[in-house]
């Protein structure tokens, strides 16, 4: 700039040069070194000109995401809990506090899986309304194997539940499907053990250690939004409630601090073990709504989940009223150890 020129004014030559450099840098993707060589100046001069162009409003940078995504809360949630990925979706205007997870969570989660899954991966799907909605919304997946991680809520509805979700994902990817034709909860440990040894179920279990990306749902310990809660007797519910259960994921129970409780229940369940789940490189939880907010926080503290797709209702609670602990998702640490 010429000596004596007002600080907020650029001459025509400077304006033209700044515009040209900005065009090269922001639109054509050229480096500052390439621009410096073209204009015969130092790269430090280029950096100063680009900075001035921003300060003088010659260049405006807009960060735009689809209206249904809350980018600010997504980034804040990712940082607060040490998540690899956090995607916060605007809660539907008509959503009620009593409603289950908004269906649009499944649609966004389907797009996220399209980004995360690579060719040759093994994708694991656990039972849950959210994962079922996600599978229905899938329209792209690279070739991968798809395995079911849990039994179904009701074997009689398998075709409309997780078995069909596994088939749908495999169809989209063109890979193999390994469903589990069995209930999630059995009457006793002996029956569950016998089922785990059946050929088809055992084959699915053999894939658990190979899973690279998993999608799971989260439930809070109350009617209608916890699969396990609804499958138990009143006496059993009271027993596990007395242990402080606050959340459920894939038939594993957690207290508010993320510690597992009621481990004896797992002996009666057809589900991926928690230790195996912790070893999966990417575990995406899909859950939202006011009623699930505290439960989501509990599961995040367990260290079993690496990424989250949720809505603004749950995110607001997680960012203001919930204490995350030492970045649990990033550390993958077990609160019990």
């Amino acid at each position: 700039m010429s000596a004596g020129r007002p600080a907020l004014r650029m001459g025509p030559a400077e304006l033209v040069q700044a515009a040209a450099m900005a065009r090269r840098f922001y639109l054509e993707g050229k480096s500052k070194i390439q621009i410096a060589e073209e204009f015969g100046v130092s790269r430090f001069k280029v950096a100063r000109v680009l900075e001035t162009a921003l300060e003088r409003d010659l260049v405006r940078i807009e960060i735009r995401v689809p209206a249904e995504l809350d980018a600010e809360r997504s980034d804040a949630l990712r940082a607060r809990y040490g998540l690899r990925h956090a995607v916060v979706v605007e809660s539907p205007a008509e959503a009620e506090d009593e409603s289950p997870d908004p269906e649009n969570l499944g649609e966004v989660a389907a797009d996220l899986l399209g980004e995360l899954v690579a060719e040759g991966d093994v994708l694991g799907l656990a039972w849950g309304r959210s994962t079922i909605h996600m599978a229905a919304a899938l329209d792209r997946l690279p070739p991968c194997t798809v395995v079911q991680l849990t039994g179904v809520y009701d074997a009689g509805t398998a075709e409309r539940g997780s078995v069909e979700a596994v088939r749908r994902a495999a169809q989209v990817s063109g890979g193999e499907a390994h469903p589990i034709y069995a209930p999630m909860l059995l009457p006793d440990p002996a029956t569950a053990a016998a089922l785990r040894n059946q050929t088809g179920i055992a084959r699915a279990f053999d894939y658990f250690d190979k899973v690279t990306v998993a999608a799971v749902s989260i439930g809070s310990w109350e009617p209608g939004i916890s699969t396990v809660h609804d499958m138990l007797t009143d006496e059993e519910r009271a027993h596990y409630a007395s242990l402080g259960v606050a959340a459920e994921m894939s038939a594993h129970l957690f207290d508010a601090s993320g510690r597992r409780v009621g481990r004896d229940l797992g002996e009666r369940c057809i589900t991926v073990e928690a230790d195996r789940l912790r070893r999966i490189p990417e575990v995406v939880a899909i859950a939202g709504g006011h009623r699930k907010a505290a439960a989501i926080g509990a599961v995040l503290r367990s260290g079993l989940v690496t990424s989250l797709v949720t809505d603004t209702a749950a995110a607001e609670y997680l960012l203001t009223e919930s204490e995350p602990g030492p970045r649990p998702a990033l550390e993958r640490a077990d609160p019990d150890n």
Side-chain angles (χ1 to χ4, degrees):
M1 295 177 62
S2 302
R5 180 171 293 135
L8 295 179
R9 182 178 176 183
M10 297 176 71
E14 292 172 317
L15 285 169
V16 170
Q17 184 185 66
M21 288 184 177
R23 185 177 298 108
R24 304 289 194 281
F25 186 73
Y26 292 108
L27 299 183
E28 299 175 13
K30 291 188 175 180
S31 70
K32 293 174 184 176
I33 293 176
Q34 289 174 314
I35 297 170
E37 291 176 352
E38 178 182 347
F39 286 88
V41 298
S42 72
R43 62 186 177 89
F44 301 105
K45 167 70 172 177
V46 174
R48 286 197 299 272
V49 170
L50 293 174
E51 183 178 350
T52 300
L54 285 172
E55 291 174 350
R56 307 294 170 82
D57 213 21
L58 185 63
V59 173
R60 296 182 182 181
I61 298 176
E62 290 186 329
I63 301 174
R64 303 179 66 182
V65 296
E68 68 270 17
L69 299 183
D70 189 323
E72 185 174 351
R73 283 192 179 97
S74 296
D75 187 56
L77 199 59
R78 179 200 55 77
R80 184 175 175 84
Y81 286 86
L83 293 159
R84 286 204 191 96
H85 306 280
V87 182
V88 178
V89 181
E90 288 288 345
S91 301
E94 69 278 7
E96 301 177 0
D97 289 350
E98 301 301 312
S99 63
D101 300 318
E103 289 194 22
N104 61 342
L105 293 186
E107 297 170 3
V108 173
D111 287 341
L112 179 61
L113 277 194
E115 292 183 68
L116 298 181
V117 176
E119 183 174 351
D121 275 349
V122 177
L123 171 63
L125 300 181
W127 194 97
R129 296 183 186 90
S130 299
T131 51
I132 291 169
H133 290 154
M134 179 205 68
L138 283 171
D139 59 10
R140 63 185 177 99
L141 273 180
C144 64
T145 299
V146 186
V147 60
Q148 194 170 322
L149 296 178
T150 65
V152 297
Y153 175 40
D154 180 353
T157 61
E159 290 302 314
R160 301 190 301 277
S162 45
V163 169
E164 181 56 31
V166 168
R167 286 176 173 167
R168 166 66 182 167
Q171 180 184 31
V172 172
S173 73
E176 294 182 4
H178 294 277
I180 294 177
Y181 295 96
M184 182 186 294
L185 180 66
L186 282 303
D188 53 72
T191 304
L195 276 177
R196 290 190 202 103
N197 288 327
Q198 288 189 357
T199 303
I201 297 174
R203 187 180 299 117
F205 268 65
D206 286 342
Y207 271 93
F208 287 177
D209 287 329
K210 303 173 185 177
V211 174
T212 49
V213 181
V216 300
S217 295
I218 296 172
S220 56
W221 197 246
E222 53 181 304
I225 50 177
S226 166
T227 302
V228 172
H229 181 283
D230 292 346
M231 288 192 289
L232 297 174
T233 65
D234 290 340
E235 183 179 356
E236 289 170 328
R237 291 174 192 145
H239 165 67
Y240 291 116
S242 72
L243 301 179
V245 60
E248 172 256 319
M249 179 183 70
S250 302
H252 300 295
L253 309 182
F254 306 87
D255 66 13
S257 64
R259 298 180 184 275
R260 289 179 58 211
V261 296
R263 298 189 182 210
D264 60 303
L265 183 67
E267 298 175 6
R268 297 169 49 195
C269 292
I270 303 296
T271 186
V272 59
E273 300 94 327
D275 290 341
R276 277 175 153 176
L277 199 58
R278 196 181 304 279
R279 292 195 294 268
I280 296 174
E282 185 75 75
V283 179
V284 181
I286 312 161
H290 289 288
R291 292 177 66 189
K292 285 192 177 182
I296 296 168
V299 172
L300 291 182
R301 292 183 199 98
S302 74
L304 291 172
V305 168
T306 61
S307 298
L308 175 67
V309 177
T310 190
D311 65 352
T312 50
E316 189 63 27
Y317 174 90
L318 293 168
L319 290 170
T320 58
E321 299 185 43
S322 178
E323 290 298 328
R327 293 165 64 84
L330 183 66
E331 302 296 335
R332 302 302 295 274
D334 186 347
D336 292 325
N337 297 318

